[in-house]
Amino acid sequence: MSETINKPRIGIIGTGAIGGFYGLMLARAGYDVHFLLRSEFSAVSQRGLRVDSQVHGVLTLENVQAYSSAADMPPCDWLLVGAKTTGNDGVAPAIIQVAAPGAKVLMLQNGLAVEDELRALLPDSLHLLGGLCFICVHRTGPGQIAHQAFGAVNIGYHSGPAADGVASQRIVEEGAALFHASGIESVAMDNLDKARWQKLVWNVPYNGLSVLLNASTTPLMADADSRELIQGLMAEVVKGAQACGHVMPDGYAEQLFKVTGHMPDYRPSMYHDFIEKRPLELDAIYARPLAAALAAGCDMPKIRALYHALAFIDRSNR
């Protein structure tokens, strides 16, 4: 059987910074973890995975169970999708090949409604969940990851065969328990859409401005004009979320702003995508929230301007 009571088999679909970090942590905690890779398959197969963490120290995983094809992987009970949203067109076939009966698929991606399109491509028998990663992490080379701060994963249920809210919440808590066992904070969320809007409060300003202004978080937080722009963008996300029926906790944006001012200097994932000339995740992080808020009667002009500027930069860059 592919599952024991305490140790389900886990598959990582997309072993970049996110998939590599969490997969390594789960494997070190004793879970049976299998990693799907593309360009870095040879390097990881030969040298393993390494995380240089300012939180946990240097972590290594040798003899990685690595695969270049999903068809070669064993059936997995949990699938953690760490691929970027810009590559989601190839995710569904991999999931279908690897998923054990009744498997739980956890999307560790940024943006809004990232599960919606995937749901239509998956069998109804699979559970689909969303995971919000609050972490400062990036690749430094093939199979090499730098972890600067944080690491929590908040999880919510999207859709699947769970009979009711009690059953779906039980599955969410099962997912959170995997991370807890690996030394990672995880919260079971009862409203995935609200959780995704909460993550956008940080992602919208810092990801986009890191590209537009060619700046990491420390200089962005040190300059009066960029600070005002960040706060204005955050306020629009909060307003858009409220229009869509998701009221943020009091002081939520202010708290994220304050935390960012004290965290290590960090270049968000969109900056790394820009530098490496990969497509920017503009649809999930900007276009969908803009459309959802506008449909609810709320325009977000600062975010719209940022989105159009980034779209121009993205096309020019590629």
Side-chain angles (χ1 to χ4, degrees):
M1 293 177 64
S2 63
E3 182 178 12
T4 64
I5 294 175
N6 296 316
K7 299 292 184 182
R9 179 182 288 152
I10 299 171
I12 307 296
I13 308 295
T15 309
I18 291 292
F21 174 80
Y22 290 114
L24 180 145
M25 295 295 286
L26 288 161
R28 285 173 57 87
Y31 289 99
D32 182 19
V33 185
H34 299 258
F35 297 82
L36 180 63
L37 303 105
R38 290 188 295 180
S39 60
E40 298 186 4
F41 169 73
S42 295
V44 172
S45 296
Q46 295 170 14
R47 298 190 293 273
L49 288 168
R50 174 187 172 106
V51 172
D52 291 293
S53 174
Q54 296 181 25
V55 178
H56 307 287
V58 177
L59 305 174
T60 60
L61 181 63
E62 301 177 356
N63 301 317
V64 175
Q65 298 183 106
Y67 307 82
S68 60
S69 171
D72 297 330
M73 297 176 69
C76 294
D77 308 296
W78 277 87
L79 292 171
L80 277 55
V81 179
K84 293 292 180 72
T85 57
T86 50
N88 273 358
D89 55 344
V91 165
I95 291 173
I96 292 170
Q97 284 186 303
V98 180
K104 294 91 173 178
V105 180
L106 177 60
M107 305 295 289
L108 300 178
Q109 296 182 326
N110 286 325
L112 191 66
V114 300
E115 298 84 7
D116 290 356
E117 292 183 8
L118 185 63
R119 177 72 270 176
L121 303 175
L122 297 180
D124 293 340
S125 60
L126 299 183
H127 301 275
L128 186 58
L129 301 89
L132 291 304
C133 304
F134 296 87
I135 188 171
C136 295
V137 66
H138 65 276
R139 289 173 57 261
T140 56
Q144 299 180 22
I145 300 162
H147 173 221
Q148 293 176 261
F150 311 121
V153 181
N154 291 350
I155 303 174
Y157 194 85
H158 179 270
S159 58
D164 51 34
V166 173
S168 63
Q169 193 65 10
R170 187 182 303 117
I171 292 170
V172 171
E173 291 171 358
E174 179 186 337
L178 297 179
F179 292 104
H180 288 153
S182 306
I184 296 168
E185 181 182 349
S186 185
V187 176
M189 308 292 288
D190 59 3
N191 187 323
L192 179 57
D193 285 340
K194 180 177 180 178
R196 289 207 166 277
W197 274 103
Q198 287 178 318
K199 183 73 184 296
L200 287 169
V201 176
W202 196 94
N203 274 328
V204 164
Y206 292 104
N207 267 288
L209 293 180
S210 74
V211 173
L212 185 66
L213 303 180
N214 188 28
S216 51
T217 55
T218 295
L220 285 173
M221 295 300 290
D223 184 87
D225 287 312
S226 54
R227 285 171 64 91
E228 183 174 340
L229 182 53
I230 290 165
Q231 289 176 310
L233 290 165
M234 283 184 161
E236 284 194 352
V237 177
V238 171
K239 187 176 179 181
Q242 184 172 356
C244 293
H246 308 300
V247 178
M248 299 290 165
D250 290 341
Y252 182 78
E254 293 80 2
Q255 179 63 22
L256 284 184
F257 186 79
K258 182 179 179 180
V259 167
T260 306
H262 292 291
M263 75 183 201
D265 191 27
Y266 179 61
R267 294 189 182 275
S269 60
M270 190 170 287
Y271 177 87
H272 293 283
D273 289 339
F274 171 72
I275 292 299
E276 297 181 27
K277 297 188 179 299
R278 294 191 295 260
L280 305 184
E281 295 185 285
L282 301 183
D283 184 52
I285 296 177
Y286 296 96
R288 293 179 196 172
L290 281 165
L294 193 60
C298 176
D299 193 17
M300 301 185 290
K302 289 184 174 67
I303 297 174
R304 188 172 298 280
L306 177 57
Y307 167 60
H308 287 306
L310 291 169
F312 175 85
I313 291 171
D314 186 37
R315 286 190 294 272
S316 301
N317 191 45
R318 294 190 284 123

